[in-house]
Amino acid sequence: MFIVKFVFLHFVCLLQREREMALRNIMGKRVRIGLMGRRLLSTATCDVESGNSKSINLYSAINQALHVALETDPRAFVFGEDVSFGGVFRCTTGLADRFGKARVFNTPLCEQGIVGFGIGLAAMGNRAIAEIQFADYIYPAFDQIVNEAAKFRYRSGNQFNCGGLTIRAPYGAVGHGGHYHSQSPEAFFCHVPGIKVVIPRSPRQAKGLLLSCIRDPNPVVFFEPKWLYRLAVEEVPEHDYMLPLSEAEVIRQGSDITLVGWGAQLSIMEQACIEAEKDGISCELVDLKTLIPWDKETVEASVRKTGRVLISHEAPVTGGFGGEISASIVESCFLRLEAPVARVCGLDTPFPLVFEPFYMPTKNKILDAIKATVNY
Amino acid sequence: MANWGRISSRTIGNHIRKRTNQGFIGSTVDINPSSGSSSALNGGRSVSDQNRRYLNPLPWSRATLSWFQRFKSTVAAKQHDSFLSSDSDDDHLSLDFPGGKVSYTCDMNFISESSQARVPCYRVLDDDGELIKDCDFQQVSKEVAVKMYSKMVSLQIMDTIFYEAQRQGRISFYLTSAGEEAINIASAAALTEQDIILPQYREPGVLLWRGFTLQEFADQCFGNKADYGKGRQMPIHYGSKEHNFFTISSPIATQLPQAAGIAYSLKMDNKKACVVSYIGDGGTSEVSTLTISYFICLLQFAHGYPNCFLQGDFHAGLNFAAVMEAPVIFFCRNNGWAISTNVSEQFRSDGIVVKGRAYGIRSIRVDGNDALAVYTAVSAAREMAVNEQRPILIEALTYRVGHHSTSDDSTKYRQLDEIVYWKNARNPVNRFRNWVQSNGWWSEQEETQLRNSVRKQLLEAIQVAEKTEKPPLSDMFTDVYDYPPPNLEEQEKHLRETISRHPTDYSSDIPL
């Protein structure tokens, strides 16, 4: 698994090139492509513009958020496997040196222990920021998350809660991760009342969303798109700011079709939108950001405007969270829909290595689906 | 009877070494293990003294080793530690590896899968409740002894009456702590109100000790609006913030790593309290982590059977507690049964106590049906955990006299005469009563009065609980999150519309 972080910098896969181009094509007034840099533009207005910004990548943004979290709350802790030296993705760099071993520490290799311990810490009013090294390894902690964290407040009649718990995990395709370094397990957790699931699309989003998750009085699972740790570079305000949870964002305005996605997939979808534009199809792109509880209102409003919807995620299509969005939209917007809800997702296989480009919901698959939907 | 005043765990150890200890369910445990572990290679040849020094010790550094030696006497019996070098390391005979120095040996010896003798069991009272001569134990005052005994009786009666209530269909479920009253009450009595309890589910006696009323128990079992859990969980899933008793959940051993986190928090806050977590024998099959902080986490393995140690969370809890040096007492109620699974099908080790060493945790085996022994052991454990910032593992041997729960009939998988034997001849309540009575602190008259009084209170509590209104429908939707999200608001609205269209589908006892 340590190979992954080194291979990030090696662009060997076709898919990677495609992603590169997708990122390169997202242009805007404030975007500047440097030699190594890539930028993701957020078209939304943020209330985060005050103060200085610096151009940093995703793992640095997350690192900043963690520094802020520990700085502003003396009862905040960061723990997990290998977090002390900075973490396998550098997200926890400098924390142990700055805040000490009592607050930033390695744990034994035991995910159920990490989360269970985190629940206990949070139950005592602390901010427990637990790291699971890869989302692929979160399953031993599934019992603690589903049966304990999610139900802690409810089952106690609100006498106890573990709202201070935030579980961070890198997720998603990386070009060469195979079965166990590429998974997108968000759907499993979206089925659990009592927790929140949040996925950022870019460095600026990540810092603000992570700080909101940490400070939210409910247990949160925060999936970080590992693909973007180094690749995504954006202007990120240096100060402490938070972005709201359960609020989706329209990051590209359009009128013919609504595209809904989250995380790294948005950059692929954005590229499809740009190409569709050349064919005269105006695409509206919505970043869900929080998967549960999700912002139905924003998505429905967009669908009412366009009459068509396409959902895209890396996770396998069957049982994926796209199904929930689709069913919900059909329930609420049936008569407005001009075409069936389209889903362009990963295939129903374990995440393959050499077949990754075939497995993934690529720009062209999305483009085909956009056209099919519009021409229905 | 020795005064507890300056008693140390070392003294207990010394005294224990002098005693022959009863094994579990009648088997005798030889306190003086015979020498030599067999060498597999040499077909059982004993390891000679000369070779012993070359046997791989535990990966302690020299400092840790001598520290460890200092506390050898706290071990219940002198273990046959053939694998542990008793000499200090000779540098030229040792190897350096991550994890520390180890001495090496050219004899290939496998550590035996078990010691020659089982870990002996600490007890203070014999089966008749008479103090065993020259036993060290923590003396209790008349007031404490009478309170302990009264609560044990209350627990017995509460169990009987609630069990009957379930049989009558008045509550949906119940499980008893029959046979484990000493564990419940005596362990609670040895703690302070600030110590935080993470139960499994067979420790209501701890709540009883702390002042949870019979009415409060009944309210939870009936799931009425006075239930602190707001009617959301099955009966016996008590929780009380006021009494520092975390709400019970059904999954086994999940509380163990949580206890580690709670203890770590106490450690960070420099509070003088501990966490106590309970678990049964079955739960030990779970792997869990433990951290020990200044606060002892007493993990109660409520599953009642040591199988709790078999769960993954057991490993996670103990390991975390040891690594984080959190004061957690892991209290395992080894009652012989995990529902229908006997301990012989649960693990191959010598019970649970031996697992402590695997995590670097000091452990003791105690007679769980001996209230004084439990009290003493927990007191000592608490002191060690708080003063030395370490986890402690206590294995209390006992027997689950009752069925696993009202959903179980244990005569299907075990002999009735075995149950009767433990219920009568090895009854912890009778045993302790004898001791209390022999001190002149209890009488037959008080016995009758107490039993009648508790019974009456319970019946009244049940009547009141039964009549008390259920929680309102809105309580179904609150506390999922801190505030209900839009989807829940929508679902509640939709549900209310459904109810108004089909009121007969729903019982009228839930206020809308």
Side-chain angles (χ1 to χ4, degrees), chain A residues 75 77 102 105 107-108 110 112-114 116-117 119-121 123-124 126 143-144 147-148 152-160 193-196 217-218 292-293, chain B residues 196 228 230 232-233 239-241 245-247 249 254 257-258 260-262 264-266 268-269 287 289 291 312-313 316 319-320 324 476 478-482 485:
Chain A
R75 299 184 68 108
F77 298 83
F105 48 89
T107 61
C110 181
Q112 66 193 112
I114 291 168
F117 176 87
I119 291 170
L121 253 189
M124 298 295 284
N126 301 296
D143 186 34
Q144 286 285 347
N147 275 331
E148 299 292 315
F152 214 80
R153 186 194 292 274
Y154 192 77
R155 73 189 187 200
S156 74
N158 202 22
Q159 292 183 94
F160 304 104
I195 56 170
K196 297 191 176 182
N218 298 287
I292 53 161
Chain B
I196 297 180
Y228 301 129
K230 300 178 186 172
R232 292 158 178 165
Q233 289 211 88
S240 173
K241 190 163 174 71
F245 189 95
F246 269 74
T247 304
S249 69
T254 48
Q258 294 170 20
I262 291 174
Y264 190 75
S265 178
L266 295 175
M268 289 293 106
D269 289 341
V287 177
T289 59
T291 50
D313 276 333
N319 198 37
F320 266 60
M324 305 304 297
M476 181 168 129
T478 53
D479 305 328
V480 179
Y481 297 92
D482 59 328

Side-chain angles (χ1 to χ4, degrees), chain B residues 219-252:
Chain B
D219 288 334
Q220 196 284 330
C221 288
F222 280 85
N224 61 37
K225 73 173 185 204
D227 168 26
Y228 301 129
K230 300 178 186 172
R232 292 158 178 165
Q233 289 211 88
M234 285 165 66
I236 71 94
H237 289 70
Y238 314 110
S240 173
K241 190 163 174 71
E242 185 197 328
H243 299 103
N244 280 326
F245 189 95
F246 269 74
T247 304
I248 291 168
S249 69
S250 308
I252 302 302

